């Protein structure tokens, strides 16, 4: 696959913008320097135009959500920049271990919250919205690790690295925690007269 095909695939998956688009030439110094960018409307519109139809619909449902406080700039940042770190330091894992012992129902609670949130918002919660909605007062890295573990343990599912796609995973579905559309029985087929 060529570099341009790879970039287009990443854009369609919501993983990243084409090289150089949406990012500043000289990022600021600091811990989050690699994730900072300057929002430009033309880059965001170009990114959405290159996205698949389904991804664009998802993006627009997040952008237009009357219940979410996100600015267009924040939504664009979440979709255009590559995902954050995959490595979690030992102290984050230790904090998670202590926290999980105090939250034995975290799996079903998170799955049920994702159903309620999607019903109200028409898109999944962000990691922060999930944590806030469940009263989990955790530092951002620990919350990120909590969500990663919920996905790994199949209580939650998500679409790759696409933001705002959290939903019940296979473990939740086995317990009857499913999205409303999945609850409806198949329409009865009337016999031919």
């Amino acid at each position: 696959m060529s570099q341009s095909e790879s970039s287009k695939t990443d854009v369609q998956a919501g993983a990243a913008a084409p090289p150089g688009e949406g990012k500043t030439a000289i990022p600021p110094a600091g811990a989050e320097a690699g994730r900072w960018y300057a929002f430009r409307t033309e880059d965001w519109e170009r990114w959405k135009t290159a996205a698949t139809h389904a991804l664009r619909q998802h993006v627009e449902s997040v952008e237009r959500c009357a219940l979410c406080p996100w600015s267009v700039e924040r939504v664009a940042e979440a979709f255009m920049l590559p995902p954050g770190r995959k490595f979690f330091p030992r102290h984050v894992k230790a904090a998670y271990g202590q926290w999980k012992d105090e939250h034995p129902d975290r799996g079903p609670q998170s799955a049920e919250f994702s159903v309620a949130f999607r019903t109200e918002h028409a898109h999944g919660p962000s990691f922060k919205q999930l944590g806030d909605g469940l009263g989990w007062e955790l530092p951002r890295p620990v919350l990120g690790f909590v969500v990663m573990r919920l996905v790994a343990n199949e209580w939650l599912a998500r679409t790759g690295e696409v933001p705002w796609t959290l939903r019940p995973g296979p473990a939740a579905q086995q317990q009857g925690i499913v999205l409303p559309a999945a609850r409806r029985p198949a329409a009865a087929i009337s016999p031919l007269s």
Side-chain angles (χ1 to χ4, degrees), residues 42-121:
E42 61 274 7
D43 291 339
W44 179 226
E45 291 303 319
R46 189 177 313 115
W47 185 94
K48 289 194 298 183
T49 300
T52 63
H53 178 71
L55 179 57
R56 185 177 178 112
Q57 282 185 312
H58 173 63
V59 167
E60 290 174 351
S61 73
V62 174
E63 278 184 312
R64 295 179 182 145
C65 182
L67 301 171
C68 289
W70 311 116
S71 66
V72 172
E73 292 83 0
R74 174 62 185 98
V75 173
E77 176 185 3
F79 282 96
M80 291 178 72
L81 290 182
R85 70 175 147 184
K86 298 286 186 197
F87 171 77
F88 291 94
R90 186 172 294 156
H91 74 276
V92 168
K93 293 175 183 176
Y96 166 75
Q98 181 179 358
W99 176 87
K100 81 172 185 164
D101 291 341
E102 298 166 6
H103 295 84
D105 293 334
R106 65 196 172 279
Q109 286 176 345
S110 64
E112 288 171 355
F113 179 83
S114 74
V115 170
F117 189 95
R118 277 181 170 274
T119 301
E120 214 175 322
H121 294 252

Side-chain angles (χ1 to χ4, degrees), residues 186-193:
I189 301 173
S190 58
L192 296 175
S193 316

